[in-house]
Amino acid sequence: MRVSRPTSTDTRRLHLPTRTVGTAVVCLPARTPPAALAAQATATLAARGLATNGVLPHFHTHTRRTGKLVDRWNGLTSGGPINLLDLDSMRTRAAAGAAAEWLLWQQVVAGTRPAQPLWAFADRSAADPHRYPLAKAHADYLSQPRVLAMGAHNAIPGQSWPLPTSALEAFKPATAPTSTWPGWPQSPATGSPRTPAAG
């Protein structure tokens, strides 16, 4: 639920709810013994006020030295020394996933006009809240054809790949030669985007 709150100037601003963290990566000193990694990570998070439900296999690994890893299962581990984690493989998969998500977004919004981000409507409302109330700003944002297309895609029952409308700006195509699309790697020689297939 989005709510507004008064500021020191007595104007109303859009207040977005905080996001619940589902996974946290904890970096520990290299000298931490492997058997103590999970307990030390839990203690580090608890010291910052974050409760945990234990460790989760998240990292790809390319070693069979399971004694140095935390909960190795099906090529995944909850943690271990950084040199035993296959971060390159994870980066490659993340880039491919982001590229696939962007291509899906292109199909979903094909034929719609570019949409204005939510902050543009919120700023207009903050400038004159009596003539353009926050509720109207939010409704105008949600009624844009591109946002409606994303919402319709997300409403399909059992949707396996939703497109969050909060990420609208991240999906916009690159317009400047130095910009990139989300998750697409840069060509080392030119700095221009390259497709995952071109690698």
Side-chain angles (χ1 to χ4, degrees):
M1 178 169 97
R2 288 168 167 59
V3 295
S4 60
R5 61 180 172 185
T7 63
S8 59
T9 59
D10 201 29
T11 59
R12 298 191 74 76
R13 286 192 193 163
L14 185 65
H15 176 67
L16 300 175
T18 57
R19 187 180 283 215
T20 302
V21 177
T23 304
V25 176
V26 179
C27 298
L28 299 170
R31 66 185 181 282
T32 307
L37 287 172
Q40 185 64 37
T42 301
T44 301
L45 290 173
R48 287 162 179 78
L50 297 172
T52 65
N53 290 329
V55 294
L56 168 73
H58 172 76
F59 297 100
H60 293 263
T61 182
H62 55 274
T63 187
R64 293 176 191 220
R65 298 188 303 186
T66 58
K68 295 191 177 233
L69 300 174
V70 179
D71 292 342
R72 186 171 189 272
W73 178 78
N74 270 356
L76 296 176
T77 182
S78 301
I82 199 163
N83 62 332
L84 298 181
L85 305 179
D86 191 359
L87 300 180
D88 289 334
S89 166
M90 293 180 69
R91 185 174 20 262
T92 300
R93 289 175 190 227
E101 186 176 31
W102 187 83
L103 291 171
L104 173 64
W105 176 79
Q106 284 286 80
Q107 289 179 333
V108 168
V109 301
T112 62
R113 288 179 290 134
Q116 294 295 314
L118 179 58
W119 61 261
F121 294 95
D123 284 354
R124 190 171 146 208
S125 175
D128 191 357
H130 298 293
R131 294 187 69 172
Y132 193 60
L134 192 57
K136 172 77 170 132
H138 196 241
D140 287 350
Y141 168 75
L142 292 174
S143 68
Q144 297 177 95
R146 186 159 285 187
V147 177
L148 287 171
M150 292 170 72
H153 168 80
N154 295 340
I156 296 172
Q159 182 56 260
S160 59
W161 209 323
L163 300 170
T165 58
S166 61
L168 180 66
E169 286 187 279
F171 286 121
K172 284 186 178 178
T175 54
T178 57
S179 298
T180 61
W181 293 313
W184 286 42
Q186 294 285 310
S187 167
T190 64
S192 61
R194 60 182 179 178
T195 64

